[in-house]
Amino acid sequence: MATIQKDQVVSFHYTLTDQQGTVIDKSEGQPLVYLHGFSNIIPGLENALTGKAVGDKLNVSVAPEDGYGEYQPEMVQEVPRQMFQGVDQIQVGMQFQAQAEDGIQVVTVKDVTDESVFVDGNHPLAGQTLNFDVEIVDIRAASAEELQHGHAHGVGGHQH
Ligand code: ZN
């Protein structure tokens, strides 16, 4: 029976809850599809799935260092409000794309004053221990093209 190894495309259903049991995210209808061994998903989850088979159900607790990292207070930055010209209303919780040294970074508005906007470059799930309820629904070999691109294609994967 096939088990999950590097270079395989894996489909799985999941429910993600935080430490309080609140559902943060879940696969709706379509399973999530990813290429195993290419860091397409967070390391704590990817490692836990290695060696699992279709039909396996597991509960995985992922610590921040194996998930979206520790929360880093220094990643909150004060930005002059005039940088947001063209945005009618800036509200706490809004997300923007910002140009960072290593590519596009998504920042979340933490606070707004008359002169400044405080944006947070931490991943929204940084610092959190994450609980995944997972059910493996499919495992298949990746195509040469998928391996070259480093991600899964087709339904639930990259469409291009
Ligand atoms: Zn591709």
Side-chain angles (χ1 to χ4, degrees):
M1 189 166 173
T3 57
I4 297 173
Q5 307 296 340
K6 192 174 187 301
D7 299 347
Q8 288 180 319
V9 174
V10 179
S11 307
F12 68 95
H13 280 293
Y14 71 97
T15 301
L16 169 59
T17 52
D18 64 17
Q19 285 294 77
Q20 287 71 46
T22 306
V23 174
I24 298 170
D25 192 17
K26 63 190 292 196
S27 51
E28 301 272 9
Q30 293 287 354
L32 186 78
V33 181
Y34 79 99
L35 178 59
H36 193 78
F38 287 77
S39 300
N40 289 176
I41 60 175
I42 56 174
L45 184 57
E46 184 163 51
N47 292 340
L49 292 176
T50 301
K52 296 294 184 289
V54 171
D56 280 359
K57 294 180 182 179
L58 59 157
N59 183 270
V60 187
S61 178
V62 179
E65 63 265 31
D66 297 320
Y68 294 99
E70 298 290 352
Y71 187 83
Q72 297 177 274
E74 67 272 19
M75 287 179 73
V76 178
Q77 286 188 309
E78 185 176 1
V79 178
R81 201 172 169 142
Q82 63 253 33
M83 298 253 311
F84 291 83
Q85 271 174 4
V87 183
D88 285 342
Q89 276 207 319
I90 303 167
Q91 289 172 327
V92 172
M94 287 176 85
Q95 292 190 319
F96 294 92
Q97 290 192 340
Q99 190 67 48
E101 285 161 27
D102 51 355
I104 297 289
Q105 185 192 24
V106 175
V107 298
T108 308
V109 175
K110 287 282 271 194
D111 198 12
V112 186
T113 68
D114 285 344
E115 281 90 42
S116 300
V117 178
F118 293 85
V119 295
D120 187 349
N122 286 286
H123 189 280
L125 298 177
Q128 292 201 46
T129 297
L130 305 171
N131 297 296
F132 290 89
D133 269 309
V134 174
E135 181 178 0
I136 316 292
V137 294
D138 189 52
I139 304 170
R140 65 168 170 85
S143 69
E145 191 184 44
E146 287 174 319
L147 293 175
Q148 198 183 359
H149 288 196
H151 55 228
H153 290 161
V155 177
H158 280 247
Q159 311 279 344
H160 64 124

